Amino acid sequence: MTSEQGTIDPTAAGASTADREIVLTRVFDARPELVFQAWTDPRHLPHWWGPDGFTITLHECEVRVGGTCRFTMHGPDGTDYPNRIVYREIVRPERLVYDHGDDVDDDPNMFLVTVTFGDEGGRTRLTSRMLFPTAAQRNGAAAYGAVELGNQTMAKLAEYLKTM
């Protein structure tokens, strides 16, 4: 499998958002339809979502515009991280746009995620763009390890796709 590790790309979205964005990219040896299915079918998410050592408990997942996906990530140290995703746009199998944050109403740290699934001759170039409300929030996520943790999650997805 050829892959590109995620990086922080300050020019990815232009000058207006560059200081608030983290971009991860990876090429998978699977067609976009399959990668999209792994990303959106609730049966698949618990098998790969989250960094190394993490598991998730899926509480609900309704992948439709306006739908919500709620899950708890369980860290290897026993810490629970409640998550909520609210879908804004779904273009099967090309694009997902959603808000992602803690599982609380009016989360001030919620950020916008745009995931694209580009077809490269039967392989998929997945690009995940995380746009934070402020540069400080983006920098906090980067300092926490968002790029490395995201790369670990993508590696788990690559392994899971081999089983589908």
Side-chain angles (χ1 to χ4, degrees), residues 50-112:
D52 293 346
F54 281 72
T55 60
I56 70 166
T57 299
L58 197 58
H59 306 294
E60 70 174 287
C61 195
E62 190 175 2
V63 182
R64 63 169 178 78
V65 173
T68 301
C69 188
R70 293 179 48 252
F71 57 94
T72 300
M73 291 179 59
H74 309 286
D77 65 356
T79 303
D80 288 338
Y81 302 91
N83 283 254
R84 182 185 303 174
I85 289 172
V86 178
Y87 294 96
R88 290 185 177 199
E89 180 183 355
I90 300 167
V91 180
R92 189 172 302 272
E94 299 168 7
R95 178 179 166 97
L96 289 171
V97 181
Y98 55 85
D99 294 311
H100 189 162
D102 292 334
D103 192 12
V104 297
D105 293 334
D106 302 317
D107 179 8
N109 296 311
M110 186 169 280
F111 55 96
L112 180 68

Side-chain angles (χ1 to χ4, degrees), residues 34-41 44-45 48 157 160-161 164:
L34 190 66
V35 180
F36 191 91
Q37 179 183 2
W39 200 279
T40 58
D41 187 325
H44 298 298
L45 293 174
W48 66 269
L157 173 58
Y160 182 67
L161 287 167
M164 292 180 65

Side-chain angles (χ1 to χ4, degrees), residues 1-5 25-31 34-36 38-39 44-45 47-50 52 117 123-124 126 149-164:
M1 170 188 307
T2 301
S3 67
E4 296 178 28
Q5 296 301 307
T25 301
R26 184 171 179 130
V27 176
F28 295 93
D29 282 334
R31 66 190 194 292
L34 190 66
V35 180
F36 191 91
W39 200 279
H44 298 298
L45 293 174
H47 297 283
W48 66 269
W49 189 281
D52 293 346
F117 304 81
R123 299 171 77 210
T124 303
L126 186 144
L149 299 174
N151 285 334
Q152 291 175 17
T153 299
M154 295 300 167
K156 286 174 61 177
L157 173 58
E159 288 303 310
Y160 182 67
L161 287 167
K162 295 175 185 177
T163 70
M164 292 180 65

